[in-house]
Amino acid sequence: MLTEERHQIILEQLKVHNIVKLHDLIPLTGASESTLRRDLQDLENCHKLLRIHGGAQNVISLHEEPALSQKASIHLDEKKAIGRVAASQVRNQEVIFLDSGSTIQFMIPYLIEHKNLLVITNSVDNASMLADYDIETFLPGGKLKSSTKALVGSTMVQTLETYHFDKCFLGTNGFSIESGYTTPDPEESSIKQLAIKQSNQTFILSDSSKYCQVSFSKFADLKDATLITNELPVKESVLLNKETKVMEVN
Amino acid sequence: MLTEERHQIILEQLKVHNIVKLHDLIPLTGASESTLRRDLQDLENCHKLLRIHGGAQNVISLHEEPALSQKASIHLDEKKAIGRVAASQVRNQEVIFLDSGSTIQFMIPYLIEHKNLLVITNSVDNASMLADYDIETFLPGGKLKSSTKALVGSTMVQTLETYHFDKCFLGTNGFSIESGYTTPDPEESSIKQLAIKQSNQTFILSDSSKYCQVSFSKFADLKDATLITNELPVKESVLLNKETKVMEVN
DNA sequence: GAAGTTTTTTGAAAGAATTTGAACGATATT
DNA sequence: AATATCGTTCAAATTCTTTCAAAAAACTTC
């Protein structure tokens, strides 16, 4: 059995069981304990799995989103800068859609500079913050998704279809040249797609850590939106620029 | 069984039951008492749960205290007691409407005991808390009122007209024999009226400090609802009882 | 193409580190 | 006071890392 074959078996087991014991791999591969330990180490080095005592664990499945609180605390300064630039794209009297997502939230403090704004959002957290800043806000109805505190579902879709936005601002869980913009939850994905359709202009906010990340459900091509992000690796930036509008934040 | 597997089982049980007894975990995992104690300790150290005597509990108490502003914290124990009694009126599988208002919020922690609940609320703050407790929640659309973070307006009215609730739980700014239940904002008042109309049963939660307070807009007569409150002055209580159902909380 | 050499991969062994279950006194609950 | 639960300690069992030599593969040289 080749090394590659064993690696494949291990990853396959992980896909199915989320956790795999080292001793269970011995009969499955016919290899010795030592060899399998080395395999696990190799796979951990390229972030394909996480070793735990007695075996290995999936690094994080595509469907599982990290909890909002953990996600929110990292990349704080970048997000503030991105939020400031995004807010600067808004004009007085406009109607804008704000997606759920921690990065979007950083726009809100900068929005008070604009007068007579009307904000539509599907995020309960955003709504609460918008109320604190006394910005006129409307929530379309929907089912509350507890993990992200976003509203989703058919009611939301039906409502959005009757609206039209000057601009919409969306978050993303990943973007890449091949796969475009992606997010784990198909339901949230279709809300994003609809928001884009109903908007004159689309902005997607993302810190550069999301680059080359691919999640389950694609909601837009790179060319469909203006990406607002902090600096990307130089050569990648060139590549991206052929496909889409990018605003880099310093 | 690996440590990580046990941890997953424990957290899964907590998601479902919100409380888990240590002894129930022994057959579920096949591990010894000692091992499970260590597991609970580990999980508590990374804030995944809260240990309690005999087992563990979901960690969510964070939101209970700080969400409330100055005046909200005065009658804290009363409100908790009122919330507990109100929640005890709910049955499994019911559809209930929760109003905005700080007293209502105290119901939410006690709602986790009920299974397959569907909660409709017009309060963004309630929604956020309900999501934390992983209770199925639906928000009708509406304009966000920044002072109370409640949703109001014609969209809300239209949506509510198509719903029907087993029970609704409302807050009030004042109640008296002559004027019934009153609140300052006519828009919120009409939402409350509609919620009552669409419900089989109406409960109004109020600490006794609201007695004899009269606000601008009346939304119900005393006889239209069951009042859940802490103890009233005795003679008043007698008077009230002729008009309406009162549940006193001690 | 064969024999020899180097490199890589493999399995086994030894000692270190971790995990586990049981015991026991301390603490909390009734 | 009686019962149940808790934290601590300790020895046994399991797993991990490191090391080393044998086997396999790749590469040289003739």
Side-chain angles (χ1 to χ4, degrees), chain B residues 177-194:
Chain B
I177 298 174
E178 306 80 31
S179 307
Y181 296 103
T182 51
T183 192
D185 181 359
E187 252 187 331
E188 287 199 44
S189 177
S190 58
I191 302 285
K192 286 177 205 279
Q193 283 178 50
L194 188 49

PDB file of all heavy atoms in Angstrom, chain B residues 177-194:
ATOM      1  N   ILE B 177     -57.517  49.815  37.576  1.00  0.00           N
ATOM      2  CA  ILE B 177     -58.888  49.317  37.442  1.00  0.00           C
ATOM      3  C   ILE B 177     -59.663  50.131  36.407  1.00  0.00           C
ATOM      4  O   ILE B 177     -60.386  49.589  35.581  1.00  0.00           O
ATOM      5  CB  ILE B 177     -59.601  49.355  38.810  1.00  0.00           C
ATOM      6  CG1 ILE B 177     -58.844  48.435  39.776  1.00  0.00           C
ATOM      7  CG2 ILE B 177     -61.051  48.923  38.695  1.00  0.00           C
ATOM      8  CD1 ILE B 177     -59.363  48.494  41.199  1.00  0.00           C
ATOM      9  N   GLU B 178     -59.468  51.441  36.454  1.00  0.00           N
ATOM     10  CA  GLU B 178     -60.249  52.292  35.557  1.00  0.00           C
ATOM     11  C   GLU B 178     -59.748  52.224  34.113  1.00  0.00           C
ATOM     12  O   GLU B 178     -60.529  52.133  33.169  1.00  0.00           O
ATOM     13  CB  GLU B 178     -60.196  53.755  36.007  1.00  0.00           C
ATOM     14  CG  GLU B 178     -60.602  53.998  37.448  1.00  0.00           C
ATOM     15  CD  GLU B 178     -59.459  53.667  38.407  1.00  0.00           C
ATOM     16  OE1 GLU B 178     -58.277  53.835  38.002  1.00  0.00           O
ATOM     17  OE2 GLU B 178     -59.725  53.218  39.529  1.00  0.00           O
ATOM     18  N   SER B 179     -58.402  52.257  33.957  1.00  0.00           N
ATOM     19  CA  SER B 179     -57.863  52.458  32.604  1.00  0.00           C
ATOM     20  C   SER B 179     -57.373  51.175  31.947  1.00  0.00           C
ATOM     21  O   SER B 179     -56.956  51.184  30.790  1.00  0.00           O
ATOM     22  CB  SER B 179     -56.709  53.462  32.650  1.00  0.00           C
ATOM     23  OG  SER B 179     -57.130  54.644  33.289  1.00  0.00           O
ATOM     24  N   GLY B 180     -57.373  50.063  32.676  1.00  0.00           N
ATOM     25  CA  GLY B 180     -56.875  48.822  32.093  1.00  0.00           C
ATOM     26  C   GLY B 180     -55.361  48.881  31.885  1.00  0.00           C
ATOM     27  O   GLY B 180     -54.641  49.550  32.632  1.00  0.00           O
ATOM     28  N   TYR B 181     -54.884  48.190  30.863  1.00  0.00           N
ATOM     29  CA  TYR B 181     -53.447  48.133  30.577  1.00  0.00           C
ATOM     30  C   TYR B 181     -53.070  49.214  29.571  1.00  0.00           C
ATOM     31  O   TYR B 181     -53.709  49.356  28.531  1.00  0.00           O
ATOM     32  CB  TYR B 181     -53.070  46.773  30.011  1.00  0.00           C
ATOM     33  CG  TYR B 181     -53.297  45.638  30.978  1.00  0.00           C
ATOM     34  CD1 TYR B 181     -54.387  44.788  30.848  1.00  0.00           C
ATOM     35  CD2 TYR B 181     -52.413  45.419  32.034  1.00  0.00           C
ATOM     36  CE1 TYR B 181     -54.596  43.740  31.730  1.00  0.00           C
ATOM     37  CE2 TYR B 181     -52.609  44.374  32.929  1.00  0.00           C
ATOM     38  CZ  TYR B 181     -53.702  43.545  32.776  1.00  0.00           C
ATOM     39  OH  TYR B 181     -53.901  42.519  33.660  1.00  0.00           O
ATOM     40  N   THR B 182     -52.028  49.958  29.879  1.00  0.00           N
ATOM     41  CA  THR B 182     -51.661  51.082  29.013  1.00  0.00           C
ATOM     42  C   THR B 182     -50.161  51.116  28.749  1.00  0.00           C
ATOM     43  O   THR B 182     -49.359  50.616  29.529  1.00  0.00           O
ATOM     44  CB  THR B 182     -52.061  52.421  29.657  1.00  0.00           C
ATOM     45  OG1 THR B 182     -51.543  52.456  30.996  1.00  0.00           O
ATOM     46  CG2 THR B 182     -53.565  52.582  29.681  1.00  0.00           C
ATOM     47  N   THR B 183     -49.810  51.749  27.647  1.00  0.00           N
ATOM     48  CA  THR B 183     -48.410  51.854  27.210  1.00  0.00           C
ATOM     49  C   THR B 183     -48.244  53.174  26.463  1.00  0.00           C
ATOM     50  O   THR B 183     -49.228  53.710  25.941  1.00  0.00           O
ATOM     51  CB  THR B 183     -48.044  50.638  26.334  1.00  0.00           C
ATOM     52  OG1 THR B 183     -46.650  50.594  26.139  1.00  0.00           O
ATOM     53  CG2 THR B 183     -48.742  50.694  24.983  1.00  0.00           C
ATOM     54  N   PRO B 184     -47.038  53.741  26.413  1.00  0.00           N
ATOM     55  CA  PRO B 184     -46.909  55.091  25.855  1.00  0.00           C
ATOM     56  C   PRO B 184     -47.051  55.178  24.339  1.00  0.00           C
ATOM     57  O   PRO B 184     -47.581  56.149  23.821  1.00  0.00           O
ATOM     58  CB  PRO B 184     -45.490  55.518  26.261  1.00  0.00           C
ATOM     59  CG  PRO B 184     -45.012  54.509  27.238  1.00  0.00           C
ATOM     60  CD  PRO B 184     -45.770  53.259  26.965  1.00  0.00           C
ATOM     61  N   ASP B 185     -46.586  54.180  23.630  1.00  0.00           N
ATOM     62  CA  ASP B 185     -46.495  54.297  22.175  1.00  0.00           C
ATOM     63  C   ASP B 185     -47.714  53.654  21.502  1.00  0.00           C
ATOM     64  O   ASP B 185     -47.919  52.455  21.619  1.00  0.00           O
ATOM     65  CB  ASP B 185     -45.197  53.619  21.703  1.00  0.00           C
ATOM     66  CG  ASP B 185     -45.034  53.739  20.200  1.00  0.00           C
ATOM     67  OD1 ASP B 185     -45.920  54.322  19.545  1.00  0.00           O
ATOM     68  OD2 ASP B 185     -44.020  53.239  19.684  1.00  0.00           O
ATOM     69  N   PRO B 186     -48.509  54.426  20.776  1.00  0.00           N
ATOM     70  CA  PRO B 186     -49.692  53.884  20.110  1.00  0.00           C
ATOM     71  C   PRO B 186     -49.357  52.770  19.132  1.00  0.00           C
ATOM     72  O   PRO B 186     -50.137  51.831  18.971  1.00  0.00           O
ATOM     73  CB  PRO B 186     -50.257  55.089  19.357  1.00  0.00           C
ATOM     74  CG  PRO B 186     -49.653  56.273  19.992  1.00  0.00           C
ATOM     75  CD  PRO B 186     -48.338  55.862  20.536  1.00  0.00           C
ATOM     76  N   GLU B 187     -48.200  52.872  18.521  1.00  0.00           N
ATOM     77  CA  GLU B 187     -47.835  51.836  17.554  1.00  0.00           C
ATOM     78  C   GLU B 187     -47.588  50.502  18.254  1.00  0.00           C
ATOM     79  O   GLU B 187     -48.054  49.464  17.805  1.00  0.00           O
ATOM     80  CB  GLU B 187     -46.599  52.273  16.764  1.00  0.00           C
ATOM     81  CG  GLU B 187     -46.957  52.626  15.336  1.00  0.00           C
ATOM     82  CD  GLU B 187     -45.743  52.895  14.488  1.00  0.00           C
ATOM     83  OE1 GLU B 187     -44.728  53.336  15.051  1.00  0.00           O
ATOM     84  OE2 GLU B 187     -45.821  52.675  13.266  1.00  0.00           O
ATOM     85  N   GLU B 188     -46.861  50.554  19.354  1.00  0.00           N
ATOM     86  CA  GLU B 188     -46.657  49.316  20.107  1.00  0.00           C
ATOM     87  C   GLU B 188     -47.970  48.816  20.680  1.00  0.00           C
ATOM     88  O   GLU B 188     -48.209  47.612  20.781  1.00  0.00           O
ATOM     89  CB  GLU B 188     -45.635  49.543  21.225  1.00  0.00           C
ATOM     90  CG  GLU B 188     -44.214  49.667  20.697  1.00  0.00           C
ATOM     91  CD  GLU B 188     -43.160  49.430  21.780  1.00  0.00           C
ATOM     92  OE1 GLU B 188     -43.323  48.468  22.563  1.00  0.00           O
ATOM     93  OE2 GLU B 188     -42.193  50.203  21.833  1.00  0.00           O
ATOM     94  N   SER B 189     -48.808  49.760  21.049  1.00  0.00           N
ATOM     95  CA  SER B 189     -50.110  49.409  21.604  1.00  0.00           C
ATOM     96  C   SER B 189     -50.935  48.597  20.611  1.00  0.00           C
ATOM     97  O   SER B 189     -51.567  47.599  20.973  1.00  0.00           O
ATOM     98  CB  SER B 189     -50.848  50.695  21.989  1.00  0.00           C
ATOM     99  OG  SER B 189     -52.140  50.396  22.461  1.00  0.00           O
ATOM    100  N   SER B 190     -50.910  49.006  19.360  1.00  0.00           N
ATOM    101  CA  SER B 190     -51.722  48.278  18.385  1.00  0.00           C
ATOM    102  C   SER B 190     -51.137  46.892  18.102  1.00  0.00           C
ATOM    103  O   SER B 190     -51.869  45.951  17.807  1.00  0.00           O
ATOM    104  CB  SER B 190     -51.879  49.092  17.102  1.00  0.00           C
ATOM    105  OG  SER B 190     -50.627  49.390  16.558  1.00  0.00           O
ATOM    106  N   ILE B 191     -49.840  46.770  18.210  1.00  0.00           N
ATOM    107  CA  ILE B 191     -49.227  45.437  18.074  1.00  0.00           C
ATOM    108  C   ILE B 191     -49.711  44.536  19.206  1.00  0.00           C
ATOM    109  O   ILE B 191     -50.087  43.384  18.991  1.00  0.00           O
ATOM    110  CB  ILE B 191     -47.683  45.529  18.123  1.00  0.00           C
ATOM    111  CG1 ILE B 191     -47.138  46.439  17.032  1.00  0.00           C
ATOM    112  CG2 ILE B 191     -47.046  44.136  18.060  1.00  0.00           C
ATOM    113  CD1 ILE B 191     -47.158  45.865  15.661  1.00  0.00           C
ATOM    114  N   LYS B 192     -49.706  45.071  20.400  1.00  0.00           N
ATOM    115  CA  LYS B 192     -50.158  44.284  21.556  1.00  0.00           C
ATOM    116  C   LYS B 192     -51.621  43.860  21.376  1.00  0.00           C
ATOM    117  O   LYS B 192     -51.988  42.715  21.637  1.00  0.00           O
ATOM    118  CB  LYS B 192     -50.010  45.097  22.842  1.00  0.00           C
ATOM    119  CG  LYS B 192     -48.560  45.255  23.335  1.00  0.00           C
ATOM    120  CD  LYS B 192     -48.512  46.150  24.577  1.00  0.00           C
ATOM    121  CE  LYS B 192     -47.193  46.854  24.786  1.00  0.00           C
ATOM    122  NZ  LYS B 192     -46.154  46.029  25.426  1.00  0.00           N
ATOM    123  N   GLN B 193     -52.448  44.810  20.958  1.00  0.00           N
ATOM    124  CA  GLN B 193     -53.860  44.492  20.739  1.00  0.00           C
ATOM    125  C   GLN B 193     -54.019  43.353  19.752  1.00  0.00           C
ATOM    126  O   GLN B 193     -54.811  42.432  19.937  1.00  0.00           O
ATOM    127  CB  GLN B 193     -54.596  45.726  20.215  1.00  0.00           C
ATOM    128  CG  GLN B 193     -54.911  46.756  21.273  1.00  0.00           C
ATOM    129  CD  GLN B 193     -55.602  47.976  20.680  1.00  0.00           C
ATOM    130  OE1 GLN B 193     -56.574  47.845  19.937  1.00  0.00           O
ATOM    131  NE2 GLN B 193     -55.084  49.144  21.016  1.00  0.00           N
ATOM    132  N   LEU B 194     -53.248  43.452  18.686  1.00  0.00           N
ATOM    133  CA  LEU B 194     -53.343  42.428  17.650  1.00  0.00           C
ATOM    134  C   LEU B 194     -52.876  41.074  18.175  1.00  0.00           C
ATOM    135  O   LEU B 194     -53.491  40.038  17.906  1.00  0.00           O
ATOM    136  CB  LEU B 194     -52.505  42.871  16.444  1.00  0.00           C
ATOM    137  CG  LEU B 194     -52.614  42.033  15.188  1.00  0.00           C
ATOM    138  CD1 LEU B 194     -54.072  41.788  14.832  1.00  0.00           C
ATOM    139  CD2 LEU B 194     -51.903  42.748  14.043  1.00  0.00           C
TER     140      LEU B 194
END
